Amino acid sequence: MTFALDPRQLLDRALQAAALAELDRALARLECAAPGREDIHDARKSSKKLRAWLRLLKPSLKRRYRLVDGLLRDGARHLAARRDIEVAGQTLLRLRRGRHLTAAEFRMLERALARLHPPSSDARDIDAARALYTAARVYLAEAAPAADIAQLRKRLACSQAKCRRGLRRASASRAADDLHAWRK
């Protein structure tokens, strides 16, 4: 779901309400007894959307910006470990199926991967992410951003220019790092 602004509200309140709604969606995905793969993925996507949204409001949020941004970043990091291990496992499996790894190498790497992030740490990571997102919600709800339309337009124009520069750089070089930087 995308951010939707209520045209009946003042801009600062509409921006805040949209951000809080997105944060509530992320928290709802993590509230179930055992959040699944999609729940965690959606919570991480919400965090990324919120951090981009906050960058537009950075001048009006002042000191709260760094605090809320840091809480969202750290919460997403807790959720990233499980996804990273999952992707690494899929990569190992593809390497084994492509006969780039022997069976013994595959088993050794699979065991090493399991030791990096035991399943028991998933619940702690999800609890930590939930706590960080909840704290971010409190700070965001208490903030009284005074969104100046001119300032918002300026931030939006800066973001668009940065995106266009990144696209040109990525298109010219075709390097994986440049493409990844632009995608972010």
Side-chain angles (χ1 to χ4, degrees):
M1 183 178 267
T2 60
F3 280 97
L5 299 179
D6 185 348
R8 296 167 293 183
Q9 288 183 320
L10 294 173
L11 181 61
D12 58 345
R13 293 292 165 212
L15 291 170
Q16 186 178 31
L20 288 170
E22 187 68 30
L23 196 43
D24 287 341
R25 276 191 286 281
L27 281 166
R29 296 306 292 245
L30 299 176
E31 288 300 325
C32 57
R37 187 174 169 178
E38 281 300 310
D39 296 318
I40 289 172
H41 180 65
D42 286 346
R44 288 184 69 212
K45 282 192 326 189
S46 288
S47 179
K48 290 177 184 183
K49 288 178 194 177
L50 281 161
R51 291 185 68 206
W53 192 255
L54 287 176
R55 278 192 292 277
L56 292 175
L57 299 175
K58 187 176 183 177
S60 60
L61 287 174
K62 296 181 178 45
R63 290 185 359 208
R64 282 189 194 261
Y65 166 79
R66 282 183 187 248
L67 180 62
V68 174
D69 185 59
L71 290 168
L72 292 171
R73 180 199 61 227
D74 293 346
R77 280 184 183 160
H78 279 284
L79 299 176
R82 181 174 176 184
R83 171 77 177 139
D84 292 346
I85 296 295
E86 205 172 278
V87 169
Q90 292 169 356
T91 302
L92 280 177
L93 194 56
R94 279 196 304 272
L95 288 170
R96 176 64 187 129
R97 286 183 182 149
R99 301 196 191 282
H100 299 287
L101 293 174
T102 65
E105 291 169 330
F106 174 75
R107 282 191 302 276
M108 179 190 69
L109 290 170
E110 196 174 41
R111 283 191 302 272
L113 196 57
R115 283 191 305 271
L116 283 176
H117 189 77
S120 61
S121 65
D122 283 348
R124 286 192 310 269
D125 284 337
I126 290 168
D127 287 344
R130 191 181 304 128
L132 290 164
Y133 285 175
T134 301
R137 193 193 188 294
V138 168
Y139 285 114
L140 193 56
E142 289 175 356
D148 175 14
I149 296 270
Q151 186 73 316
L152 184 60
R153 282 190 180 128
K154 182 179 173 184
R155 296 294 296 173
L156 199 51
C158 286
S159 292
Q160 288 173 329
K162 185 178 177 183
C163 186
R164 281 192 294 272
R165 282 192 306 273
L167 177 60
R168 281 195 301 273
R169 186 173 27 259
S171 297
S173 76
R174 301 260 186 223
D177 289 344
D178 289 337
L179 289 169
H180 180 71
W182 174 73
R183 185 188 65 81
K184 289 190 310 183

